[in-house]
Amino acid sequence: MMSERSTEAFVPLRRRLGLPLLVLYGTGITVGAGIYVLIGEVAGHARIHAPWSFVLAAAVMGLTVASYAELSTRFPVSAGEAAYVRAAFRSRGFSTTVGLLTVAIGVISSAAVTLGSAGYIQQFVSFPKSIIVIAVLAILGGVACWGILESVVLASIFTLIEVGGLVIVVVAAVYADLPIVATTAHMPPLNAAGLSGIAFGSLLAFFAFIGFEDLANVVEEAKVPHRDIPRAMILTLLISTILYVVVAAVAVTAVPIERLSSSSAPLSLVFREVAGVSPATISAIAIVATLNTILAQMTMAARVIYGVARERQLPAVLARVSPRTGTPWVATVLIVVMVAPLALFVPLASLAEGTSLATLVVFALVNLSLLRLRYRGVQSKTPHITVPVLVPAAGFATCIAMMAFAFLK
């Protein structure tokens, strides 16, 4: 944890976020990155069983959500993952490495979703993708520098719009009398090829659940962190899982898998097939959804850089906070600069897979940190929740298993 000497030169962040905004923030990051961008990629591997890929990813994520809920209330600081590892293993170098890996996740995932956003934006304008990418990052970087409350309020509005878009797709599918329930309940085949496709699809689907952990990195800006952060994490996972499973069932039922997996705007294609009308509305909502995720991921990554720099593990200039907006503006600008080249030069599927693998590494270390803290009997002075020790043990094991499968694929 931080000493008085390490913090006296730094301006604290402002506590302005309550439970509703935290839930909208977490849900918005998750939903935008998942269905609107990756449903085609997941379906390409899992085929008609794509909903099961999302169920498997949610089950793995649920264990880690519980570990984060305890750790984020034990150590309510920005750069949460780095703080957990440092407290557990007493290593500044290890802590810095984990902090930088968390930043890398935010940067790579922002690049992936920026590409997805550009694909939808090109449904309306004929600008080159590179121009769209640069414009999106510049505008959202400016919003992130503006202020945390302003950023989260905007993200919350975006969240309501993007969830509304998914509801429109589901309602249209119901009116079209698609067999959604039958598809969702269809058991996967008990053979190597089918299970392998579902498992690899779940690795990509895992990317779709990235977002709840961003809540741990805005904990210093939550009004009642020990109460609201765990609740927001759980609600984010529940809402996202339900939406993903249902919409995945609609997508693989409405559109041939080959067309779905090759589309740069998969949900627009689904809506066209289901409703028989122009998909412009869904494309517009998809733009909002992807912009929401980019904004939230860049906000998270900037907070991690701020937190690590405040611990004197990165240059102090990166912990500089604007006295007017109360945001770490130098760290935010750095994140924008790091995202741009990845979005411009690396394919979407590679970015998504890379994000999932890096996230699994961090999640495994977070679970291991909680096990280590329990083994050492480390106590926390702040109010916090406690989960059964089997939870982080199972979380660690499942993260390792998913990483092993990815390398064996």
Side-chain angles (χ1 to χ4, degrees):
M1 297 297 292
M2 297 172 293
S3 66
E4 287 188 18
R5 174 175 291 181
S6 68
T7 61
E8 62 185 6
F10 298 109
V11 178
L13 302 176
R14 299 175 186 172
R15 294 193 178 276
R16 305 174 73 186
L17 306 179
L19 180 60
L21 285 178
L22 289 169
V23 172
L24 289 169
Y25 175 78
T27 304
I29 310 166
T30 308
V31 172
I35 288 294
Y36 284 97
V37 174
L38 282 178
I39 180 58
E41 298 283 350
V42 173
H45 292 282
R47 317 295 292 178
I48 194 69
H49 304 293
W52 284 97
S53 288
F54 287 103
V55 170
L56 178 58
V60 173
M61 188 67 84
L63 298 168
T64 301
V65 165
S67 294
Y68 263 96
E70 176 170 339
L71 287 167
S72 64
T73 51
R74 274 177 172 255
F75 307 101
V77 295
S78 297
E81 293 88 350
Y84 312 153
V85 169
R86 184 175 179 184
F89 298 99
R90 302 174 182 176
S91 170
R92 289 177 63 88
F94 194 14
S95 171
T96 302
T97 300
V98 171
L100 294 178
L101 184 56
T102 304
V103 172
I105 292 168
V107 169
I108 298 170
S109 61
S110 294
V113 184
T114 299
L115 275 179
S117 182
Y120 280 106
I121 291 172
Q122 284 185 315
Q123 305 293 309
F124 296 94
V125 298
S126 57
F127 293 131
K129 184 167 286 189
S130 58
I131 299 298
I132 296 173
V133 164
I134 293 170
V136 164
L137 293 176
I139 293 169
L140 293 182
V143 173
C145 289
W146 185 17
I148 185 62
L149 182 61
E150 292 77 10
S151 295
V152 173
V153 167
L154 180 61
S156 299
I157 295 170
F158 283 178
T159 299
L160 294 174
I161 294 171
E162 68 193 49
V163 170
L166 298 182
V167 171
I168 289 172
V169 171
V170 173
V171 170
V174 170
Y175 273 99
D177 201 27
L178 291 180
I180 303 171
V181 175
T183 301
T184 304
H186 188 65
M187 295 299 293
L190 298 178
N191 58 60
L195 294 178
S196 175
I198 292 170
F200 191 75
S202 73
L203 182 63
L204 291 175
F206 193 81
F207 175 90
F209 287 95
I210 295 172
F212 82 88
E213 76 283 1
D214 289 10
L215 291 165
N217 290 306
V218 296
V219 67
E220 290 189 45
E221 292 156 290
K223 293 178 180 178
V224 191
H226 69 276
R227 181 194 70 192
D228 291 343
I229 293 295
R231 292 179 180 179
M233 288 180 176
I234 293 169
L235 288 171
T236 291
L237 180 63
L238 288 175
I239 293 168
S240 301
T241 300
I242 292 169
L243 286 171
Y244 285 172
V245 171
V246 175
V247 174
V250 172
V252 297
T253 304
V255 180
I257 300 298
E258 288 70 22
R259 290 182 63 201
L260 186 66
S261 61
S262 63
S263 174
S264 63
L267 271 193
S268 293
L269 179 60
V270 170
F271 188 69
R272 176 184 293 163
E273 293 296 320
V274 169
V277 297
S278 169
T281 299
I282 293 299
S283 290
I285 293 173
I287 292 170
V288 169
T290 51
L291 293 179
N292 191 11
T293 297
I294 299 163
L295 175 60
Q297 288 286 51
M298 292 198 304
T299 297
M300 175 277 293
R303 267 59 183 177
V304 175
I305 288 180
Y306 161 84
V308 175
R310 189 177 57 181
E311 287 289 338
R312 312 287 183 177
Q313 293 168 268
L314 287 175
V317 67
L318 295 175
R320 187 170 295 169
V321 174
S322 167
R324 186 173 65 85
T325 65
T327 60
W329 68 273
V330 177
T332 302
V333 171
L334 177 62
I335 292 300
V336 173
V337 171
M338 293 168 68
V339 171
L342 291 177
L344 290 171
F345 303 115
V346 182
L348 172 61
S350 298
L351 291 170
E353 186 176 349
T355 302
S356 293
L357 288 171
T359 302
L360 283 166
V361 171
V362 170
F363 285 179
L365 290 173
V366 166
N367 284 298
L368 189 61
S369 295
L370 182 53
L371 289 171
R372 175 75 173 168
L373 289 167
R374 291 287 189 84
Y375 175 78
R376 289 176 45 213
V378 174
Q379 301 298 316
S380 301
K381 296 180 181 179
T382 59
H384 64 85
I385 69 168
T386 302
V387 301
V389 71
L390 287 177
V391 169
F396 177 75
T398 52
C399 287
I400 295 297
M402 288 190 77
M403 283 188 286
F405 177 81
F407 285 113
L408 290 173
K409 177 71 176 177

